[in-house]
Amino acid sequence: MTQAHPNDRLDQFRHETRAWLEQNCPPQMREPMVNEADLFWGGRRAQFTSEPQREWFERMAQRGWTVPEWPTAYGGGGLSRDEARVLREEMARLKCRSPLISFGISMLGPALLRYGSEAQKLEHLPKIARGEIRWCQGYSEPGAGSDLASLRTRAEAVGEHFIVNGSKIWTSYGDKADWIFCLVRTDFAAKKHDGISFVLFDMQSPGVTTTTIRLISGYSPFTQTFFDNVQVPRDNLVGEINQGWTIAKYLLTHERNMIGGMGTQRTRPLHELARETVGLANGRLADSALRTDIARFDMDALAFALTMERVQAQAQTQAGNETGALSSMLKYYGTELNKRRAELAMSIAGSDGLKFTDGAASLAATWLRTRGNSIEGGTSEIQLNIIARQILKLPT
Ligand SMILES: Cc1cc2nc3c(=O)[nH]c(=O)nc-3n(C[C@H](O)[C@H](O)[C@H](O)COP(=O)(O)OP(=O)(O)OC[C@H]3O[C@@H](n4cnc5c(N)ncnc54)[C@H](O)[C@@H]3O)c2cc1C
């Protein structure tokens, strides 16, 4: 019996996936996202904002397609890299929204797959895949942002527990999250990078409190997070004690890839917005300068999307499946691109763009939020330092 050629199998997979998506992705879930409520983050207190959002999430979760490439044993879809690419392409073709957004998917999951014990993988990954637990990131501290390794939140080993004391800041959605992945200092005598450990704990643990940080926009996506003698089971240490910096850096490469990818996120195309605002002349946008800017943006966005694909594909052919310092390049360019998109949208909208509504729905709020992209996950200056040192090999 002759075996099917890999390309034939992939074509077959594409054919089936396309049919399944067409049948199962509700039309409302193919509309461009307008605001934060269009994203489903999961978690113990999660609420769907519409019936189509619930249907879409449940159908995708049932197939493991919230995390298509994770192994099925951990709640994933078990797809190969090529199959996952086909799924992404077919979702993009139909303009399907992501069914679930979470720091568990984009940050913690990859780190656990690589550094977690089998018990930790089995405990946490399926709950991430099914959107049952929402995670937040406990990295930054009031005295440790760009210089993250200076962090001072301490964890002392006492019997079967660590006792955690200290404070984290800029914890995105710290008040909505169920669990936190947290960097703690477990050795104050060692060199700063060598005394850090990576632990997981429930935000409901006694001694964890959060205070919201209200922004100029009126929006409060952050908390300062306090730990007062929080008991964390020693089993919740990921990897070895004092070896957390390696895990922290690996997780950051995934965070940076994710933030860089925001530059390719599916939002309303600029030319549609422009058509409504400036109108058409002879079938083309009436404003030729704007036409050029939008065309240039669209070409750069397409080139960047292809670059992301290429870097990811290269990473997966290398041992260890790492994008390493290239994630800094993706983050830097992707966030600049996203800022450009928001700037262009503002200039297209003219004075209407200045209308400010509370929350993330208005163009002005979106424009302000894109500024944050070049700070979160490590600032642009830090990414440029990494690119200079590790990719361009420039002297320090
Ligand atoms: C939208 C958003 C979401 C965030 N979410 C989280 C979260 O969920 N969890 C979390 O832990 N943190 C989070 N952060 C915090 C973020 O990681 C830090 O803000 C970031 O690392 C910068 O640290 P900092 O604010 O202390 O600035 P600083 O480190 O004080 O930097 C101030 C300025 O100095 C520059 N600078 C500092 N060092 C250097 C250097 N060596 N070379 C050149 N320039 C330098 C920086 O680029 C920056 O412009 C978030 C931030 C934002 C904006």
Side-chain angles (χ1 to χ4, degrees):
M1 203 172 95
T2 53
Q3 291 226 312
H5 188 274
N7 282 348
D8 294 341
R9 281 204 300 272
L10 210 55
D11 284 347
Q12 175 69 13
F13 177 76
R14 185 183 295 280
H15 181 72
E16 287 164 7
T17 300
R18 185 174 295 184
W20 188 86
L21 289 172
E22 270 166 6
Q23 206 175 357
N24 286 284
C25 183
Q28 297 89 331
M29 294 296 105
R30 306 180 195 187
E31 301 285 326
M33 288 185 277
V34 180
N35 61 38
E36 185 86 358
D38 292 332
L39 301 171
F40 180 64
W41 286 84
R44 288 176 187 142
R45 288 163 287 170
Q47 286 188 334
F48 296 101
T49 50
S50 69
E51 192 51 21
Q53 190 186 53
R54 186 188 64 73
E55 276 175 7
W56 177 225
F57 164 74
E58 285 176 356
R59 289 170 186 170
M60 288 290 275
Q62 206 172 23
R63 293 176 82 94
W65 281 6
T66 52
V67 280
E69 282 179 79
W70 291 9
T72 50
Y74 307 134
L79 299 190
S80 67
R81 186 175 68 78
D82 283 336
E83 287 168 338
R85 176 180 48 78
V86 167
L87 173 60
R88 275 197 303 280
E89 285 169 1
E90 290 303 315
M91 284 178 68
R93 200 182 65 84
L94 277 186
K95 303 188 167 61
C96 307
R97 292 181 188 172
S98 290
L100 174 66
I101 305 288
S102 85
F103 297 158
I105 293 178
S106 53
M107 298 192 219
L108 179 64
L112 276 186
L113 281 167
R114 178 142 193 197
Y115 294 102
S117 66
E118 190 55 22
Q120 287 167 340
K121 291 179 194 171
L122 288 169
E123 170 63 21
H124 297 296
L125 295 175
K127 291 180 185 165
I128 293 173
R130 294 193 301 263
E132 290 171 8
I133 293 293
R134 182 168 178 175
W135 288 83
C136 63
Q137 178 185 37
Y139 271 36
S140 308
E141 296 184 6
S146 299
D147 184 14
L148 181 60
S150 294
L151 62 95
R152 300 191 65 79
T153 292
R154 63 164 63 222
E156 283 170 84
V158 179
E160 289 304 297
H161 289 90
F162 291 107
I163 305 298
V164 177
N165 280 287
S167 165
K168 297 286 172 180
I169 199 162
W170 312 123
T171 321
S172 295
Y173 310 111
D175 50 345
K176 298 189 174 61
D178 306 307
W179 277 63
I180 185 166
F181 49 92
C182 193
L183 296 180
V184 291
R185 185 157 301 283
T186 35
D187 186 343
F188 274 80
K191 279 199 284 181
K192 65 180 178 181
H193 295 94
D194 297 337
I196 294 171
S197 299
F198 190 104
V199 292
L200 314 173
F201 52 95
D202 194 321
M203 291 288 277
Q204 299 283 317
S205 310
V208 180
T209 48
T210 59
T211 52
T212 50
I213 303 173
R214 201 159 168 81
L215 304 183
I216 193 172
S217 60
Y219 190 49
S220 303
F222 300 120
T223 62
Q224 182 161 2
T225 308
F226 300 91
F227 311 123
D228 182 12
N229 287 320
V230 180
Q231 280 199 352
V232 176
R234 287 184 76 143
D235 286 349
N236 291 6
L237 170 76
V238 181
E240 300 290 318
I241 188 112
N242 296 327
Q243 301 295 311
W245 187 245
T246 306
I247 305 173
K249 279 193 302 180
Y250 180 72
L251 184 144
L252 276 174
T253 62
H254 285 272
E255 179 177 6
R256 289 170 182 162
N257 291 342
M258 179 267 292
I259 298 171
M262 287 175 181
T264 60
Q265 219 171 51
R266 229 180 50 71
T267 48
R268 192 157 179 231
L270 289 169
H271 61 83
E272 275 182 20
L273 191 64
R275 205 181 304 147
E276 273 169 27
T277 320
V278 297
L280 299 180
N282 302 322
R284 306 164 82 190
L285 271 187
D287 180 333
S288 65
L290 189 58
R291 207 163 61 218
T292 307
D293 285 346
I294 293 176
R296 190 167 288 145
F297 173 84
D298 283 346
M299 284 191 289
D300 288 346
L302 180 61
F304 178 63
L306 293 171
T307 303
M308 282 201 86
E309 283 285 344
R310 177 173 56 77
V311 170
Q312 302 289 356
Q314 269 171 3
Q316 293 189 356
T317 56
Q318 285 161 10
N321 187 11
E322 282 191 47
T323 49
L326 288 174
S327 64
S328 294
M329 186 187 81
L330 297 179
K331 191 206 176 232
Y332 178 75
Y333 194 79
T335 55
E336 288 304 315
L337 204 58
N338 211 19
K339 286 199 283 189
R340 245 171 84 195
R341 181 211 304 275
E343 297 264 5
L344 264 170
M346 287 290 278
S347 62
I348 291 168
S351 53
D352 279 353
L354 298 174
K355 249 189 306 188
F356 209 92
T357 51
D358 196 14
S362 73
L363 281 183
T366 305
W367 174 75
L368 272 177
R369 181 61 185 83
T370 60
R371 313 267 113 188
N373 290 159
S374 45
I375 301 173
E376 62 197 314
T379 65
S380 283
E381 289 76 21
I382 295 300
Q383 306 318 308
L384 289 172
N385 285 348
I386 295 173
I387 293 165
R389 269 200 308 272
Q390 297 185 31
I391 300 179
L392 302 176
K393 310 281 184 208
L394 296 175
T396 46

